């Protein structure tokens, strides 16, 4: 889906609901500044949830290469934006993903695409972390996978406890990353800011 030109079915109905929401909030949905807002929000929501119409496993399969490499492959500092499913407010941050190949590698950009697909759904950070790990695990069958997400949640910053500086970190790992030494190597590498 090209977010600038293609939208999913139901766009007009979604815009109609946003028109009603504006009215229920006490606004005049017909005033000049809000006349086009329902459609703008409907389009934005379809872009922000475009991951529902994408197959992350297929993205990896489309760039699967046989390679005799069995050391850690890390793609770190992958920016992501998602929507918390509890309040539909954004959470955003960085994903760090590592895997140890077992005969096959994938294109590096495909790891970032997997993060993008799962982040463009209504989410909780814990599930998103698990989904990324499982996708890589089930598609590449590596010796191990580890995923760490670090994020700020607007539902904690703008409402509720209103803690602006809190960061939530989640991790999932399997295989070779069950060894503390391997996990520590990954953590050291993702927190090393050197670009060599």
């Amino acid at each position: 889906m090209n977010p600038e030109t293609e939208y999913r079915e139901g766009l007009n109905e979604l815009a109609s609901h946003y028109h009603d929401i504006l009215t229920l909030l006490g606004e005049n949905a017909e005033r000049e500044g809000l006349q086009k807002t329902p459609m703008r929000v409907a389009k934005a929501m379809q872009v922000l949830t475009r991951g529902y119409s994408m197959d992350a496993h297929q993205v990896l399969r489309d760039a699967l290469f046989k390679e005799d490499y069995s050391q850690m492959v890390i793609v770190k500092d992958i920016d992501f934006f998602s929507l918390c499913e509890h309040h539909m407010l954004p959470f955003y941050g960085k994903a760090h993903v590592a895997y140890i190949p077992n005969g096959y590698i994938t294109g590096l950009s495909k790891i970032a695409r997997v993060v993008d697909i799962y982040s463009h759904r209504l989410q909780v950070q814990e599930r998103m972390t698990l989904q990324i790990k499982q996708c890589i695990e089930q598609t590449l069958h590596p010796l191990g996978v580890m995923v760490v997400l670090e994020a700020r949640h607007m539902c904690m910053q703008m409402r509720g406890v209103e803690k602006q500086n809190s960061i939530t970190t989640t991790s999932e790992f399997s295989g070779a990353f069950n060894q503390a030494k391997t996990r520590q190597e990954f953590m050291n590498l993702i927190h090393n800011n050197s670009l060599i």
Side-chain angles (χ1 to χ4, degrees), residues 41-60:
V41 177
K43 287 179 177 179
M45 289 304 292
Q46 283 207 353
V47 170
L48 294 173
T49 60
R50 68 180 180 253
Y52 287 122
S53 61
M54 299 173 155
D55 183 347
H57 293 84
Q58 191 59 48
V59 165
L60 292 180

Side-chain angles (χ1 to χ4, degrees), residues 100-157:
I100 299 174
N102 186 20
Y104 289 90
I105 60 171
T106 189
L108 297 175
S109 68
K110 304 309 178 191
I111 300 293
R113 293 271 294 143
V114 167
V115 172
D116 188 58
I117 288 168
Y118 287 116
S119 67
H120 281 81
R121 299 177 181 186
L122 298 182
Q123 277 290 12
V124 294
Q125 185 174 331
E126 297 88 341
R127 182 192 315 121
M128 183 175 149
T129 308
L130 178 62
Q131 287 174 329
I132 294 165
K133 185 206 70 145
Q134 288 177 333
C135 178
I136 294 167
E137 202 170 46
Q138 294 165 2
T139 310
L140 299 181
H141 306 289
L143 299 175
V145 182
M146 186 159 179
V147 178
V148 172
L149 299 186
E150 300 172 303
R152 294 183 184 274
H153 291 250
M154 299 303 281
C155 58
M156 283 183 65
Q157 294 177 320

Side-chain angles (χ1 to χ4, degrees), residues 125 148-151 167-171 187:
Q125 185 174 331
V148 172
L149 299 186
E150 300 172 303
I167 295 174
T168 301
T169 302
T170 52
S171 68
M187 296 305 287

Side-chain angles (χ1 to χ4, degrees), residues 8-188:
R8 300 191 304 274
E9 196 174 321
L11 183 66
N12 290 327
E13 187 177 357
L14 192 57
S16 174
H17 286 298
Y18 278 114
H19 183 279
D20 292 343
I21 288 169
L22 287 172
T23 302
L24 289 168
L25 290 173
E27 266 291 356
N28 172 8
E30 299 304 320
R31 71 176 172 84
E32 185 180 13
L34 291 177
Q35 285 177 359
K36 295 183 180 179
T37 296
M39 183 54 76
R40 286 189 193 109
V41 177
K43 287 179 177 179
M45 289 304 292
Q46 283 207 353
V47 170
L48 294 173
T49 60
R50 68 180 180 253
Y52 287 122
S53 61
M54 299 173 155
D55 183 347
H57 293 84
Q58 191 59 48
V59 165
L60 292 180
R61 283 193 293 268
D62 285 346
L64 202 58
F65 308 104
K66 189 159 182 53
E67 193 64 49
D68 188 25
Y69 182 82
S70 58
Q71 298 301 313
M72 201 179 299
V73 176
I74 299 173
V75 183
K76 69 176 191 172
D77 296 331
I78 304 167
D79 291 319
F80 73 85
F81 301 88
S82 192
L83 289 176
C84 164
E85 69 180 31
H86 300 143
H87 302 99
M88 291 181 67
L89 289 171
F91 68 95
Y92 60 95
K94 296 197 180 288
H96 315 288
V97 181
Y99 73 99
I100 299 174
N102 186 20
Y104 289 90
I105 60 171
T106 189
L108 297 175
S109 68
K110 304 309 178 191
I111 300 293
R113 293 271 294 143
V114 167
V115 172
D116 188 58
I117 288 168
Y118 287 116
S119 67
H120 281 81
R121 299 177 181 186
L122 298 182
Q123 277 290 12
V124 294
Q125 185 174 331
E126 297 88 341
R127 182 192 315 121
M128 183 175 149
T129 308
L130 178 62
Q131 287 174 329
I132 294 165
K133 185 206 70 145
Q134 288 177 333
C135 178
I136 294 167
E137 202 170 46
Q138 294 165 2
T139 310
L140 299 181
H141 306 289
L143 299 175
V145 182
M146 186 159 179
V147 178
V148 172
L149 299 186
E150 300 172 303
R152 294 183 184 274
H153 291 250
M154 299 303 281
C155 58
M156 283 183 65
Q157 294 177 320
M158 296 174 65
R159 55 158 304 282
V161 295
E162 296 185 6
K163 300 302 178 199
Q164 282 72 36
N165 297 309
S166 65
I167 295 174
T168 301
T169 302
T170 52
S171 68
E172 280 286 342
F173 52 87
S174 65
F177 290 96
N178 283 311
Q179 298 175 14
K181 182 179 176 184
T182 308
R183 285 197 310 276
Q184 190 57 52
E185 179 185 352
F186 170 68
M187 296 305 287
N188 290 342

